[in-house]
Amino acid sequence: MRGGRGVTPVGPGGPGSPTVPGDPGAPRRSGGAGDGLGGLGWGGRSRRRLAKGRAFEVAALLATLLGVAALAALLGDLLLDGVRHLSSHFFTSFASRFPERAGIRAPLVGTLWLMGLTAMLAIPVSVGAAVFLEEYAPSGWFARAIRTNIATLAGVPSIVYGILGLALFVRALGLGRSVISGALTLSILVMPIIILAAQEAIRAVPRGVREAAYALGATRWQVVWHQVLPLAFPGILSGAILAVSRAVGETAPLIMIGAMSFIAFTPGSLGDPFTALPIQIFHWASRPQEEFQALAAAAILVLLALVLGMNGLAAIVRHRARQGE
Amino acid sequence: MNDLRALSGGTGPLTAPLGRHRSRMGRERLAGWVLGACAGVSALVTLGLVLVLTSETVAFFSQVSLWEFLTATRWTPLFREKHFGILPLLSGSVLVALGAAALAIPAGVLSAVYLSEYASRRARAVLKPLLEVLAGIPTVVYGYVALTLVTPVLRVLFPGTGVFNAASAAVVVGIMILPTVMSLSEEAFRAVPRHLREAAFSLGATRMEVATRVVVPAGLSGVLASCILALSRALGETMAVTIAAGSSPHLTLNPLEAVQTLTAYIAQAGMGSPAAGSLEYRTLFAVGMTLFALTLVMNLLGQWVRGRFREVAP
Amino acid sequence: MATVYDIDSGGREPALEARNLSVAYGGREVVRAVSLAIPANSVVALVGPSGCGKTSLLRCFNRMNDLTPGARVTGEVLFHGQDLYHPAVDPARVRQRIGMVFQTPNPFPKSIFDNVAFGPRVNGFEGDLNRRVEESLKRAALWDEVSDRLAEPAGKLSAGQKQRLCIARALAVGPEILLMDEPASELDPRASQRIEELIYALKRDYTIVIVTHNLQQAARISEYTAFLQGGELVEYGPTDVIFTKPREERTETYVTGRFG
């Protein structure tokens, strides 16, 4: 800290930021050479600049903290409203017209079904596509077209996927308003996400490893299976976890598929009707009675635990992988 | 003597496949085809999407004129007296999206500036993940918060606000897309080379001046890309607007009124399980096509701008 | 036109022969119509200023240029009379018979044992893997230093040890020819010397083609030297002749400039 300035020199991090600490706000020409500092002291103009700079910094900090404050307010509100409903009864009961008796058993099991099915459907196909794009056909018209295609698909609103799911899986393929329709729709929704994450992980594998393997007479598939995929695995895993956690939180596509909101059973097979946590939350939140709103808050807490838990898991996977290098 | 004999059994011709190698080559070809098929699935998805949307939209326009669709000011397909003007839905979506952008863009860009120019490494390591958590929260949660937290506050601040209103949805959608604006803008700022900042500092500029006159302008195309992509996300958002903004399509600019967005209509109509082939069913696709086209254009624009900024920054 | 000396191979066919070999990357020619023959069980050095195409030429010999996008190879590389670039030839099988060691040691992030065992495993080796790994490590003069820690990650070895591990790994596949792309250029002098001693010992059983920018090294270990410049083969003959009384003026300029 440079004496006499009163400015906190905070070194900004990051590759593009300089390591110059402090705020060198003193102008070259001061108010007068007679200030005893050779003209380098603070004059009136520079004080105003300093004030502006501080105000700006405060504003920027507040903007950053706005998001954090929003997060805190959100969680606080939810906890206040919903925590009183969190009991084992809540987890084991089905929905009911009477709020005191209602529980999330059906939606929770439905969500778990969807999670498992989506993971099983989406992950292999997506990783396969990523391997193809990175190892088998990096150049060439087909790969280029697929790449643009995936970038486009990643930006499609989730409800549009719901429309597709309705027309294709529910109606055209006749799968009906079943858990498999939901899982298929969610799978195509998360596919671009997993593909992009897997591509990045595969690209990060150093070239020397591939070259050495090829030079030993390994075929392309052997290089991929024995060298590339094991090294890319943590990145692929964390990307897959994040994608599935996204699928867990999606409501709109499931509405279009026809997930129910008031069922008293859990799915027993792929063709069964189903409901899911987000759907239940939506319906409870849409009821005017305050008790149902509280139920919604409780269900949200469960959903958030699931989603944020998976996000945290993905972060741990990434962190552990980075440490291993 | 060479006791590490060649694995292929000596000096046989390189073209004759030995038994073992025949199976290895076969596996190799199979792998190539399977992986290519996986990549092809994404093409099938796009194809399916385009086909489904187009065919039903075309069927829709055989019953409703394009002129009415684009110019009528009422949208009442589910009522007895049917009107099919898309403008109310469009205005609802745009109102919410612009409101969200008005919140997210200044806050997002400012926080990106803070994180890249002011924050210490430790502060960034804490703040950035926290803000990114906001992006991972399911949208239905935002809807709930809009209804139970934001709307009551708004009704106190602005008496006369409806229980359902666009502003409440705009606020939460803004918070939802804030991380998008922030992280892309921050990426753009961090890509600005160090020597530009150092040059400005060495000329006596304050940190704020360096940030606002050097870094932000240099990273402007990245900021622009982030705004476009965030807007696109706001347009495509469904649950928050469905829960908080209402289901009455209004052509209005007043955010304190209830509106219905494109996405909310699709959700509402979808919940009604319209019969296949009916006009109501087809409205789903017409509105869906509008939404798809709108977000597609914005995404392509955003990707293009983003691609440009990557080239410029070394 | 290149000056190519008569090389006495003792009547045996050359291990490898390039005929009118050219390589272009995206339209830019980096190797121009090079023809030379590598005698069996010899050490041949490829030397020249940076960018002269020596590494690109080396990578033709085991079809590694296939992996560079945009690379086009014309001409022939004959290995036991078979053109390696014939469409029916499987590059993977070429690489079983012609091995490569790279400039930057690139062991796999696996154990020492798994590194050496990788080649035999993917190529369908069905014999005693332990023995093969041991023999390879012995041949690469690394066995004594690692025999008690084969399960340790290869990343823990020193740079010189890593490079010898890469040599052992290449040997485990049982090639006839070893291609070495500046194998010692990133090592300290002591480790570099050990590599040179190793090469000298290996040439009894293998044919070695080595790219190097270190002329003293080339003079020490190679029997024949090829001097390339601008993608062209300028002069090719016995090492002592190339270094003491080259016929081409370009060769003399290069050699005396860097060697004297």
Side-chain angles (χ1 to χ4, degrees):
Chain A
M1 225 190 270
R2 299 207 197 148
R5 293 238 183 163
V7 178
T8 313
V10 174
S17 310
T19 52
V20 177
D23 206 359
R28 295 234 189 92
R29 287 193 297 271
S30 78
D35 61 356
L37 289 168
L40 293 176
W42 292 96
R45 210 170 129 249
S46 61
R47 245 187 265 274
R48 273 197 303 278
R49 258 169 111 186
L50 182 59
K52 255 204 319 187
R54 295 285 276 289
F56 180 77
E57 185 178 347
V58 168
L61 178 59
L62 282 181
T64 313
L65 294 181
L66 170 71
V68 179
L71 184 61
L74 202 141
L75 289 176
D77 177 51
L78 288 166
L79 281 169
L80 273 172
D81 287 347
V83 81
R84 65 177 181 269
H85 278 286
L86 289 176
S87 64
S88 63
H89 169 82
F90 188 61
F91 285 90
T92 54
S93 318
F94 292 105
S96 155
R97 275 174 299 132
F98 304 102
E100 329 76 60
R101 293 207 227 138
I104 54 169
R105 183 157 150 195
L108 186 57
V109 172
T111 290
L112 292 174
W113 267 80
L114 286 174
M115 248 176 77
L117 284 174
T118 306
M120 279 195 320
L121 289 168
I123 296 177
V125 174
S126 306
V127 175
V131 168
F132 179 79
L133 290 173
E134 293 298 311
E135 299 289 325
Y136 277 75
S139 50
W141 66 271
F142 182 63
R144 250 197 320 263
I146 299 280
R147 256 187 263 268
T148 354
N149 191 34
I150 289 171
T152 315
L153 285 177
V156 171
S158 59
I159 197 162
V160 175
Y161 281 112
I163 298 177
L164 176 63
L166 172 67
L168 183 60
F169 301 123
V170 176
R171 299 271 163 103
L173 291 182
L175 296 171
R177 304 165 63 173
S178 63
V179 89
I180 189 67
S181 293
L184 282 167
T185 308
L186 290 178
S187 299
I188 57 182
L189 195 152
V190 300
M191 234 178 50
I193 306 175
I194 305 181
I195 293 179
L196 289 171
Q199 275 185 293
E200 217 181 287
I202 291 173
R203 239 175 265 157
V205 174
R207 211 180 124 213
V209 166
R210 285 187 185 83
E211 282 212 317
Y214 276 120
L216 291 166
T219 61
R220 192 174 314 207
W221 175 247
Q222 286 175 323
V223 173
V224 165
W225 184 254
H226 290 281
Q227 301 294 348
V228 177
L229 281 181
L231 283 176
F233 183 69
I236 295 178
L237 183 63
S238 86
I241 294 176
L242 284 174
V244 173
S245 88
R246 163 98 193 260
V248 160
E250 284 291 343
T251 324
L254 297 179
I255 289 181
M256 301 307 291
I257 294 291
M260 314 272 193
S261 61
F262 195 76
I263 64 177
F265 53 88
T266 58
S269 76
L270 291 180
D272 285 347
F274 71 108
T275 185
L277 269 177
I279 300 277
Q280 191 65 68
I281 293 170
F282 172 59
H283 283 282
W284 275 337
S286 306
R287 305 269 205 102
Q289 297 97 330
E290 206 187 298
E291 273 311 298
F292 282 109
Q293 310 259 324
L295 280 174
I300 288 178
L301 287 171
V302 176
L303 180 64
L304 277 182
L306 203 51
V307 167
L308 294 179
M310 292 178 82
N311 280 25
L313 191 62
I316 292 176
V317 168
R318 265 198 314 266
H319 185 68
R320 290 262 301 270
R322 222 168 286 153
Q323 280 195 326
E325 273 165 23
Chain B
M1 354 111 251
N2 185 354
D3 51 4
L4 276 181
R5 266 181 294 277
L7 290 174
S8 51
T11 55
L14 290 165
T15 53
L18 298 178
R20 189 157 250 289
H21 289 280
R22 214 197 312 258
S23 76
R24 188 162 84 149
M25 252 172 26
R27 245 186 305 153
E28 198 52 33
R29 253 200 303 264
L30 181 65
W33 279 107
V34 168
L35 294 175
C38 291
V41 168
S42 73
L44 284 179
V45 169
T46 307
L47 205 61
L49 203 53
V50 169
L51 271 177
V52 157
L53 285 177
T54 318
S55 63
E56 295 288 349
T57 305
V58 163
F60 174 80
F61 282 119
S62 71
Q63 293 179 263
V64 174
S65 80
L66 187 60
W67 182 252
E68 180 185 353
F69 188 72
L70 293 176
T71 59
T73 57
R74 287 207 286 163
W75 178 264
T76 57
L78 306 173
F79 286 32
R80 201 158 315 184
E81 191 193 316
K82 299 180 191 297
H83 293 268
F84 294 95
I86 194 80
L87 287 178
L89 295 180
L90 209 46
S91 84
S93 287
V94 169
L95 195 57
V96 170
L98 285 181
L103 172 64
I105 291 178
V109 174
L110 268 179
S111 38
V113 168
Y114 185 78
L115 287 177
S116 89
E117 306 299 311
Y118 287 91
S120 69
R121 185 158 289 168
R122 247 182 345 154
R124 231 187 44 246
V126 167
L127 288 172
K128 205 164 163 217
L130 270 182
L131 287 176
E132 278 165 3
V133 168
L134 283 175
I137 294 182
T139 60
V140 68
V141 177
Y142 279 110
Y144 174 86
V145 170
L147 195 61
T148 61
L149 194 61
V150 182
T151 298
V153 168
L154 281 178
R155 296 187 80 186
V156 164
L157 289 177
F158 303 99
T161 309
V163 172
F164 296 113
N165 57 80
S168 171
V171 166
V172 292
V173 174
I175 296 183
M176 195 188 308
I177 62 178
L178 196 153
T180 307
V181 177
M182 183 214 68
S183 73
L184 281 177
S185 300
E186 201 232 353
E187 201 184 298
F189 295 152
R190 288 182 52 180
V192 174
R194 200 172 128 156
H195 59 80
L196 282 183
R197 286 186 183 80
E198 292 190 334
F201 274 123
S202 70
L203 291 167
T206 63
R207 188 172 304 206
M208 169 187 139
E209 286 161 1
V210 172
T212 53
R213 296 194 204 189
V214 176
V215 178
V216 171
L220 201 56
S221 51
V223 172
L224 194 59
S226 79
C227 297
I228 297 175
L229 290 172
L231 253 171
S232 164
R233 254 202 86 184
L235 284 169
E237 157 49 29
T238 310
M239 295 321 294
V241 294
T242 306
I243 295 178
S247 48
S248 32
H250 272 143
L251 187 53
T252 176
L253 285 174
N254 180 0
L256 300 176
E257 285 179 31
V259 295
Q260 189 174 49
T261 61
L262 295 164
T263 50
Y265 171 73
I266 298 174
Q268 180 195 28
M271 280 191 284
S273 259
S278 67
L279 191 53
E280 290 75 25
Y281 183 68
R282 287 176 181 155
T283 59
L284 280 178
F285 295 85
V287 178
M289 180 60 121
T290 312
L291 179 67
F292 177 67
L294 198 54
T295 52
L296 183 66
V297 165
M298 298 202 70
N299 280 322
L300 289 177
L301 192 61
Q303 298 283 2
W304 177 72
V305 174
R306 190 172 177 194
R308 269 194 50 213
F309 107 75
R310 284 236 174 92
E311 285 166 23
V312 167
Chain C
M1 276 282 94
T3 303
V4 177
Y5 297 71
D6 266 331
I7 292 178
D8 176 21
S9 323
R12 290 169 299 170
E13 63 166 61
L16 206 57
E17 187 180 345
R19 284 198 191 158
N20 230 2
L21 198 54
S22 296
V23 180
Y25 292 135
R28 193 175 53 97
E29 240 191 342
V30 295
V31 174
R32 295 175 213 270
V34 169
S35 299
L36 51 68
I38 313 276
N41 289 102
S42 63
V43 179
V44 174
L46 303 181
V47 305
S50 39
C52 69
K54 48 193 196 290
T55 296
S56 307
L57 177 63
L58 191 77
R59 288 168 72 101
C60 285
F61 293 151
N62 67 346
R63 303 265 317 242
M64 282 301 275
N65 271 331
D66 288 16
L67 302 175
T68 310
R72 245 180 32 108
V73 177
T74 45
E76 292 177 316
V77 177
L78 298 180
F79 176 62
H80 294 294
Q82 170 70 48
D83 177 22
L84 296 183
Y85 282 90
H86 190 282
V89 167
D90 176 7
R93 298 200 56 192
V94 172
R95 296 170 195 143
Q96 281 175 31
R97 313 274 286 277
I98 304 176
M100 182 170 255
V101 175
F102 298 85
Q103 181 173 0
T104 310
N106 53 8
F108 301 128
K110 296 173 190 265
S111 70
I112 295 172
F113 183 89
D114 285 333
N115 262 276
V116 183
F118 179 76
R121 277 189 184 133
V122 298
N123 285 301
F125 179 68
E126 276 164 350
D128 183 350
L129 200 52
N130 289 322
R131 225 181 111 222
R132 194 150 185 115
V133 169
E134 182 179 333
E135 279 172 19
S136 309
L137 286 168
K138 280 183 174 158
R139 279 199 169 232
L142 189 60
W143 175 252
D144 294 334
E145 292 166 54
V146 302
S147 60
D148 55 344
R149 44 180 177 135
L150 292 177
E152 268 186 28
K156 290 193 177 170
L157 298 173
S158 71
Q161 288 173 322
K162 280 181 183 162
Q163 194 63 305
R164 277 179 281 143
L165 176 64
C166 292
I167 294 175
R169 185 178 63 180
L171 293 179
V173 177
E176 290 173 36
I177 303 179
L178 262 187
L179 306 174
M180 304 181 116
D181 186 1
E182 308 211 35
S185 68
E186 291 187 9
L187 306 178
D188 64 73
R190 174 91 188 91
S192 177
Q193 188 190 357
R194 291 192 75 167
I195 300 285
E196 287 183 20
E197 290 164 7
L198 183 54
I199 292 176
Y200 197 76
L202 287 173
K203 79 160 187 215
R204 208 183 43 171
D205 297 315
Y206 302 90
T207 305
I208 299 179
V209 184
I210 174 168
V211 165
T212 179
H213 65 265
N214 182 340
L215 292 187
Q216 288 90 329
Q217 183 178 81
R220 279 193 293 268
I221 58 177
S222 69
E223 291 150 55
Y224 304 99
T225 299
F227 170 61
L228 289 101
Q229 196 179 51
E232 287 178 1
L233 177 65
V234 175
E235 199 165 345
Y236 175 46
T239 301
D240 51 356
V241 174
I242 295 281
F243 281 114
T244 54
K245 20 189 208 335
R247 284 196 213 155
E248 297 280 335
E249 194 185 322
R250 286 185 283 171
T251 317
E252 179 165 3
T253 317
Y254 180 72
V255 159
T256 52
R258 301 278 303 268
F259 192 57

